Amino acid sequence: MTSTTLHIDYVATSDPKRHTPAKGHRLAVISYGGAEPDICDGLSIRVPLAIAAGTDYAEVWSSSTPIERYRIGRLDIAATGDAALVSLIVPNTGTDLEQAGHDAYAELLDYLQRQNYSHLIRTWNYFPAINARHLGEERYQRFCVGRYRAFSERFHDFLPLLPAATAIGSHDGDITLFVLASKTPGMHIENPRQVSAYAYPRQYGRVSPSFARATVKSWGEELHLYVSGTASIVGHESRHIGDVQAQLSEIGTNLDALANTCRAHSLRIPTTPALRGMDFIKVYIRDPAHADEIRGVIENHYQRSAPTLYLIGDVCREELLVEVEGMWRVSTRD
Ligand code: 3EB
């Protein structure tokens, strides 16, 4: 069952390689910047964020074994023997994010439980106006309450089950959620420089955000280390308010601390700084005016040359200007 190899590539949208999945069967194409994905045999997910700078990449996910593609209710599913990628799009018109977040996660979790893809590995959550206020709270905080309720209705002790995640605000478009789940468990990892998000104190909202700092999962011949959206937060506090370069540098330090924890778990990731060594990263930038500066630091200071997506998106705390998520493909060879 675990012999399905899952493979993720960042492919420039101009590159014809985009049409030939690396591992035989295309599970999904995830596109950014408003580009319509190609008609394809897997899932097509369009993330409603603009590309800020640099190369226009799409993510091409492929599988060594055939995929099944189907819809159930609002869920669009591409599944292999061991993995399911599931997307759920909710129109944003007049939506309360507590209700929408609850109902979306309820539908997702019930499906995954029913089909035995009961282990969450990674989630992505994009919705408009994340920092806007609604009913006396930030919309992000209302989303956190709805998501938390969906978990707590289904699981007695769900904190150890929570996977790596991203939650980012868009300027327009629909609420766009997608999750990667498996029949076999991953391992969730926390960051020693940061309080676990699910243990943040109440000052940030009625409930804490439901996610882990990273999740590692083996997929056949590959081992993936999925890193959550990481911001300039030390302990539970935002640092370097108003200073985008210092925030980026703090993110680098947070990612390096996470990498060290992973190495302590015997995961063989390169010893270069995380912002350089991660196989893929996505950099979410609040203010388009910071895009060139941020790209400059990542390419010149961190000397990064691997695929990087620079996207315009709102971080879920208003004072945070930049956030980075990413992935390592971990070597399992001796
Ligand atoms: C943070 O560390 C920044 O609510 O799913 C990052 C990744 C953040 C995921 C989520 C929120 C989420 O708290 C915000």
Side-chain angles (χ1 to χ4, degrees):
M1 193 167 68
T2 47
S3 58
T4 297
T5 297
L6 203 62
H7 184 80
I8 302 177
D9 254 335
Y10 276 30
V11 180
T13 48
S14 57
D15 187 338
K17 197 174 111 204
R18 198 177 163 200
H19 302 277
T20 43
K23 287 285 172 191
H25 306 271
R26 186 153 57 180
L27 191 70
V29 174
I30 304 175
S31 63
Y32 300 84
E36 284 298 333
D38 300 320
I39 298 158
C40 80
D41 42 349
L43 216 56
S44 289
I45 300 172
R46 204 169 67 75
V47 173
L49 300 180
I51 293 173
T55 313
D56 191 348
Y57 288 108
E59 279 176 68
V60 178
W61 292 40
S62 51
S63 159
S64 61
T65 56
I67 70 150
E68 268 194 282
R69 172 77 200 284
Y70 50 98
R71 282 195 71 101
I72 299 181
R74 296 183 296 170
L75 308 180
D76 204 350
I77 299 144
T80 70
D82 188 35
L85 184 68
V86 185
S87 72
L88 195 167
I89 311 297
V90 187
N92 186 49
T93 40
T95 319
D96 170 23
L97 276 181
E98 178 176 342
Q99 194 66 45
H102 169 272
D103 294 353
Y105 269 84
E107 192 170 344
L108 282 163
L109 293 172
D110 286 344
Y111 160 77
L112 294 170
Q113 210 61 37
R114 236 176 16 246
Q115 299 297 316
N116 284 324
Y117 294 105
S118 48
H119 302 278
L120 286 172
I121 304 299
R122 182 70 169 89
T123 75
W124 285 269
N125 308 272
Y126 300 98
F127 41 84
I130 196 169
N131 301 125
R133 296 189 77 80
H134 180 56
L135 301 173
E137 286 172 308
E138 212 174 19
R139 269 163 58 88
Y140 171 66
Q141 291 166 358
R142 296 191 67 77
F143 170 77
C144 284
V145 174
R147 175 174 58 177
Y148 183 97
R149 277 179 39 222
F151 277 107
S152 60
E153 288 160 3
R154 284 161 184 78
F155 303 101
H156 173 62
D157 180 20
F158 65 87
L159 301 186
L161 308 177
L162 294 173
T166 294
I168 286 287
S170 57
H171 293 179
D172 47 37
D174 296 328
I175 299 168
T176 303
L177 309 180
F178 49 103
V179 311
L180 175 64
S182 177
K183 292 185 175 169
T184 54
M187 179 177 74
H188 309 303
I189 296 170
E190 292 301 304
N191 188 328
R193 289 190 92 231
Q194 299 187 296
V195 172
S196 293
Y198 51 72
Y200 281 165
R202 285 291 66 73
Q203 74 200 74
Y204 303 102
R206 270 185 286 157
V207 305
S208 300
S210 305
F211 71 98
R213 297 297 178 189
T215 298
V216 58
K217 179 74 180 79
S218 76
W219 301 112
E221 294 169 1
E222 294 196 15
L223 194 69
H224 291 178
L225 175 50
Y226 303 98
V227 177
S228 288
T230 302
S232 176
I233 296 174
V234 180
H236 59 75
E237 286 173 348
S238 302
R239 292 282 170 91
H240 316 295
I241 294 169
D243 184 342
V244 71
Q245 291 226 14
Q247 288 194 14
L248 185 57
S249 159
E250 199 72 72
I251 290 170
T253 308
N254 281 340
L255 293 170
D256 289 339
L258 181 74
N260 278 332
T261 305
C262 295
R263 290 185 195 103
H265 285 285
S266 305
L267 294 168
R268 296 201 193 172
I269 49 182
T271 53
T272 47
L275 281 176
R276 177 167 162 199
M278 280 199 267
D279 290 282
F280 308 119
I281 63 174
K282 278 170 227 161
V283 182
Y284 298 101
I285 300 166
R286 181 182 293 279
D287 182 348
H290 291 147
D292 289 342
E293 185 183 357
I294 288 171
R295 185 182 178 194
V297 171
I298 288 176
E299 290 182 356
N300 301 323
H301 178 75
Y302 292 98
Q303 300 196 313
R304 179 176 181 79
S305 58
T308 307
L309 260 166
Y310 298 92
L311 300 166
I312 299 301
D314 294 333
V315 185
C316 60
R317 292 186 189 180
E318 208 148 22
E319 67 275 17
L320 296 175
L321 302 170
V322 56
E323 182 175 300
V324 178
E325 66 161 77
M327 190 188 122
W328 273 283
R329 275 201 216 108
V330 185
S331 170
T332 52
R333 283 187 301 268
D334 287 328

